[in-house]
Amino acid sequence: MYDLTPPTPPGAPAPPENKRMSVPQIMLIVLVFAFVAWYVITTLAPETSPYATVMAGTIGNRYNGDCLIVRDETPYDAEGVTSISYVAEEGSTVYRGSAICNVYSSGFSTREMTTLQDYRNQIKEYQIKLLSNEVKTDAQMEKLESEVLTRAREVREIVGGTRGNMNNQEKLLHAAIQNRQSYLKQKYGNDQRMTRLYDDEQSQLQRISSWTKQYAAMSEGIISFYSDGYEYGLTVNNYGDFSPAEVRSMINGNKPAQNALQKGKTTIYRTIREGIWYVLMVIRDSNLNPTEGAVYELRLENFKDTTVRATVINFTRAGGELVVRMRVEDSVRPVLYIRTCTGVLGDSVTSLMVPQKAIYYQDNMPGVVIKDGEYEFFIPVNIIEQREGMTYITSIQPGVLHEGQTVRLF
């Protein structure tokens, strides 16, 4: 082969050599870029606030168990009940003397109601006949009839999906019908056949009432027509008498024994007093040592969880299970229809919490520096626990540290 590279002429300069960057030069460039990046970040990034806010915090253990609800309720029953006509609304508050329901005894027959309806049908047919024979226009009657039709149409619209209160609308319709009937009774008060039909209706009503007993409220309370049978044997007066095994048996669905006089009777309704109710909680955890009189956080887990503050009355430990008896001073409505459920009991300690960077030591005493306007001052604290970047604290001097205050970070 032949070398085609032309020879270097005598006296010509040599071609330049490829020079590589030295290690110090590379390090210098890297440092320059790092400085530029740091400068851009520190210049453009928002400055971190040197302050934080004191927040409320809760720490403690949680214990799972099964709960048995005890309400301050009174059941009412009767023998030989044929049917019940409810007057009060389910879940409403009744007062002393309020009508609750009408109870029909065994001497009552549905035939009596059929006879009553027959009289009323005759009254209706005769009223229509009298109205059809009218020659002159009755403005008052037309007004009352229009009111009935309007209320009936409004009820039909609600049934069809229009928004509204059906209970209120039914009451308005009933009132309109009653007003029309009162006017008709007055209008044809001299008609002998109409008077005789009204007398037959009234006689039948009196006959029915002889087998009917009306119940009225004895005191203020919430009314309910639902009963689970526990109301007789499990009360606010004897809930502390049951052993852990008996409580567990009731939680499993075994009702407490009833008095012999109550057997064979039909529960008509129950009244529940507001404000205070009780929980018997069965816990399988040997680590819990409740304190009588202490207030715990209790979450009742059901279709709609309810969290309340419960005060421990006493407790019993037997057979590997612990029964904690607690009083709840809160509305009974969330547990109005609940007898058993699962629950979580927390021996929570309410404290304050701040970021760990807010803790400052002065003469070996931990504390926080509070910023109040232009002034800052040191408050010594007790450190309860530190976790997840937060410190749970309480003030050594009561009342000087509270939620929402501003603390300095260090």
Side-chain angles (χ1 to χ4, degrees):
M1 296 183 61
Y2 295 96
D3 185 5
L4 301 180
T5 302
T8 302
E17 297 180 1
N18 292 328
K19 294 184 178 180
R20 296 182 179 180
M21 297 178 65
S22 63
V23 174
Q25 290 175 322
I26 295 174
M27 293 181 63
L28 179 61
I29 294 174
V30 171
L31 288 175
V32 169
F33 277 108
F35 174 78
V36 171
W38 170 83
Y39 179 80
V40 170
I41 293 174
T42 55
T43 302
L44 301 180
E47 184 178 356
T48 304
S49 174
Y51 299 100
T53 303
V54 179
M55 296 178 290
T58 302
I59 58 175
N61 299 314
R62 296 288 185 271
Y63 304 93
N64 297 300
D66 299 313
C67 297
L68 182 66
I69 308 299
V70 184
R71 295 174 289 267
D72 188 1
E73 57 193 344
T74 302
Y76 294 86
D77 49 37
E79 290 181 321
V81 176
T82 300
S83 61
I84 303 173
S85 174
Y86 302 112
V87 178
E89 293 185 9
E90 170 68 26
S92 64
T93 300
V94 295
Y95 302 90
R96 182 177 179 83
S98 300
I100 295 177
C101 62
N102 296 316
V103 178
Y104 300 95
S105 65
S106 56
F108 173 78
S109 171
T110 55
R111 183 176 63 254
E112 305 297 340
M113 293 298 296
T114 303
T115 302
L116 176 62
Q117 187 60 46
D118 181 59
Y119 287 140
R120 288 176 171 173
N121 289 338
Q122 292 181 48
I123 292 172
K124 178 181 177 181
E125 291 172 1
Y126 191 57
Q127 285 175 342
I128 294 174
K129 181 179 179 180
L130 291 175
L131 288 172
S132 63
N133 293 333
E134 288 283 341
V135 177
K136 295 182 180 180
T137 301
D138 189 336
Q140 180 64 17
M141 186 61 203
E142 289 185 350
K143 178 181 178 182
L144 293 171
E145 185 70 21
S146 176
E147 178 71 11
V148 172
L149 294 175
T150 299
R151 297 306 182 188
R153 184 173 60 254
E154 290 171 349
V155 169
R156 188 166 58 249
E157 289 173 353
I158 294 177
V159 173
T162 303
R163 295 182 61 180
N165 189 314
M166 178 61 79
N167 289 332
N168 291 341
Q169 206 61 49
E170 287 180 344
K171 290 178 181 178
L172 292 173
L173 175 59
H174 179 73
I177 294 174
Q178 287 295 105
N179 291 336
R180 183 181 62 180
Q181 285 300 109
S182 297
Y183 179 74
L184 287 172
K185 192 171 185 179
Q186 178 185 0
K187 180 180 178 69
Y188 301 112
N190 296 327
D191 188 287
Q192 293 183 358
R193 182 181 176 187
M194 180 64 73
T195 301
R196 188 175 62 254
L197 288 172
Y198 279 132
D199 290 341
D200 291 340
E201 179 193 29
Q202 189 61 35
S203 297
Q204 187 64 19
L205 285 171
Q206 291 176 355
R207 181 180 177 84
I208 292 173
S209 66
S210 65
W211 290 295
T212 306
K213 180 179 179 181
Q214 184 179 73
Y215 284 79
M218 303 298 293
S219 60
E220 180 180 347
I222 300 173
I223 188 71
S224 177
F225 300 106
Y226 297 97
S227 170
D228 60 8
Y230 283 75
E231 299 90 354
Y232 297 95
L234 179 64
T235 69
V236 294
N237 297 318
N238 70 355
Y239 70 89
D241 301 336
F242 296 100
S243 66
E246 291 172 323
V247 175
R248 171 59 70 184
S249 177
M250 285 188 283
I251 290 176
N252 291 339
N254 298 310
K255 300 176 183 179
Q258 294 186 15
N259 189 298
L261 296 176
Q262 296 162 342
K263 293 182 178 179
K265 294 186 177 181
T266 301
T267 302
I268 302 170
Y269 65 92
R270 61 190 171 106
T271 56
I272 307 97
R273 277 159 287 282
E274 262 282 30
I276 297 179
W277 43 284
Y278 301 84
V279 179
L280 307 182
M281 187 171 183
V282 181
I283 302 174
R284 283 186 175 275
D285 195 317
S286 59
N287 295 322
L288 174 60
N289 292 300
T291 303
E292 294 185 6
V295 179
Y296 291 78
E297 181 183 83
L298 175 62
R299 187 174 75 250
L300 302 176
E301 298 177 324
N302 202 42
F303 63 92
K304 184 178 181 181
D305 291 353
T306 300
T307 301
V308 293
R309 304 290 290 175
T311 303
V312 175
I313 299 174
N314 55 52
F315 59 92
T316 303
R317 198 185 300 271
E321 289 191 321
L322 172 69
V323 172
V324 184
R325 304 174 184 88
M326 295 171 284
R327 181 180 70 253
V328 178
E329 297 183 9
D330 207 332
S331 174
V332 74
R333 289 188 178 276
V335 294
L336 196 62
Y337 306 104
I338 300 174
R339 183 61 68 181
T340 62
C341 63
T342 58
V344 180
L345 186 66
D347 58 347
S348 304
V349 177
T350 301
S351 67
L352 299 172
M353 63 179 183
V354 296
Q356 291 182 3
K357 292 182 179 181
I359 301 301
Y360 179 78
Y361 285 84
Q362 181 173 296
D363 297 330
N364 295 324
M365 172 68 72
V368 293
V369 176
I370 297 294
K371 178 177 174 56
D372 185 6
E374 298 180 356
Y375 301 97
E376 294 184 352
F377 50 92
F378 177 81
I379 296 180
V381 299
N382 292 316
I383 297 178
I384 301 175
E385 185 179 354
Q386 289 185 330
R387 67 165 183 255
E388 298 177 357
M390 302 299 291
T391 302
Y392 294 80
I393 60 175
T394 57
S395 174
I396 294 178
Q397 183 180 354
V400 298
L401 192 62
H402 54 81
E403 183 181 0
Q405 289 178 307
T406 300
V407 293
R408 175 178 285 278
L409 301 179
F410 298 91

